[in-house]
Amino acid sequence: MSTARPAPPPPKAPPKASAQTAIVNVGPISVNRGRRLTAQRIELYGPGGIGKSELVENMKKVGIEPLVLDTDNETNHLNIDRVDVSNWQSLRAAVQDKELIGPYGAVVIDNMSKAQQLAQEYAVANIPHEKGHTVQRFEDYGFGKGYSHVYELMLLLLGDLDSAVRAGKHVVLIAHDCVTQVPNPAGEDYQRYEPRLNDQKNGNVRSRVKEWCDHMLYVGYDVFAKDGKGQGAGTRTIYTTELPSWLAKSRYLSEPIPYEKGSPELWKQLFSKGE
């Protein structure tokens, strides 16, 4: 008399993958060595009329043709190619237009302080209040809440500019300056020059642009104080590193650059490194 064999137990389910055990096939991983000569992200800021736009015109002397997206009619005196930008939509559309920017070596926004204002105007016209109703003024969002909308819009613009950089275009952002109070945990607070962009806690465009760019350069007049009065001869300098008097940074420039009228020295130093 034969007896039936018991059915084999069901196969065990494979263990669930966890963040520690999951393996993702990403293909071969390669190691790259050495400096990459890629397009660069540059911010220039300083007082109005010091010659920031003229610096852009001088790019042509090192073989880089700039396309200027003029947000405030500040380049009419320059011999450059420009697109007049009157609203937020046209600014982003110009940056995204591959055929438009294709022939140029650099995309320039002149200026970012005005571009931020265009973003604010767009927010009021298109982004409703958190309760669903439209707003008539920026202040109608409530205390500080509108700045988060502007911050998100400016992030979209930086994303557009990243696409231009990946396409091999240098990006230059021009901004006006302002004097701001700097909290100093090590001692007394102090003042310094910074780009005139929002620095609110819930929408700090100024800090985000600094993080984003490869070079944040301050263009200033050479002045010194004597007997409580400012002294100077109208000469200018481009500052590449941060000091208590101004906000600045550079991936590889470390010395101030004298700014003489018509000189392309800044661009020679920026675009010859690593060659």
Side-chain angles (χ1 to χ4, degrees), residues 111-173:
N111 64 76
M112 283 290 282
S113 303
K114 179 65 175 182
Q116 180 179 260
Q117 180 182 329
L118 297 179
Q120 180 173 315
E121 294 170 358
Y122 176 87
V124 171
N126 295 275
I127 300 177
H129 190 275
E130 59 185 2
K131 293 184 178 180
H133 61 265
T134 58
V135 298
Q136 301 300 317
R137 303 175 305 152
F138 191 67
E139 294 77 11
D140 293 344
Y141 287 114
F143 181 75
K145 294 182 178 180
Y147 292 107
S148 62
H149 297 313
V150 174
Y151 179 78
E152 294 297 329
L153 290 170
M154 296 295 280
L155 290 185
L156 293 176
L157 178 61
L158 294 182
D160 297 336
L161 294 168
D162 276 332
S163 295
V165 170
R166 287 191 293 270
K169 312 300 179 185
H170 300 294
V171 169
V172 181
L173 309 179

Side-chain angles (χ1 to χ4, degrees), residues 42-112:
I42 302 159
E43 182 179 24
L44 295 171
Y45 79 99
I50 198 170
K52 302 182 294 295
S53 302
E54 178 192 335
L55 273 171
V56 170
E57 184 181 27
N58 294 341
M59 294 178 74
K60 295 190 288 185
K61 296 180 179 180
V62 296
I64 297 175
E65 189 73 27
L67 175 65
V68 178
L69 308 181
D70 191 335
T71 63
D72 212 16
N73 296 320
E74 293 185 323
T75 65
N76 293 335
H77 61 292
L78 299 178
N79 182 24
I80 47 91
D81 288 2
R82 70 180 62 81
V83 175
D84 293 324
V85 174
S86 58
N87 56 55
W88 181 249
Q89 298 95 314
S90 61
L91 175 59
R92 290 197 63 199
V95 176
Q96 296 171 0
D97 193 329
K98 295 180 180 179
E99 291 187 6
L100 175 68
I101 69 175
Y104 297 92
V107 177
V108 182
I109 297 181
D110 190 354
N111 64 76
M112 283 290 282

Side-chain angles (χ1 to χ4, degrees), residues 248-264:
K249 77 169 194 178
S250 176
R251 298 286 185 198
Y252 45 72
L253 300 181
S254 59
E255 297 297 327
I257 302 173
Y259 177 15
E260 299 178 359
K261 185 173 181 60
S263 171

Side-chain angles (χ1 to χ4, degrees), residues 27-42:
I29 299 175
S30 60
V31 176
N32 296 287
R33 174 177 292 177
R35 178 175 289 160
R36 287 176 168 173
L37 299 180
T38 58
Q40 300 181 54
R41 305 170 177 90
I42 302 159

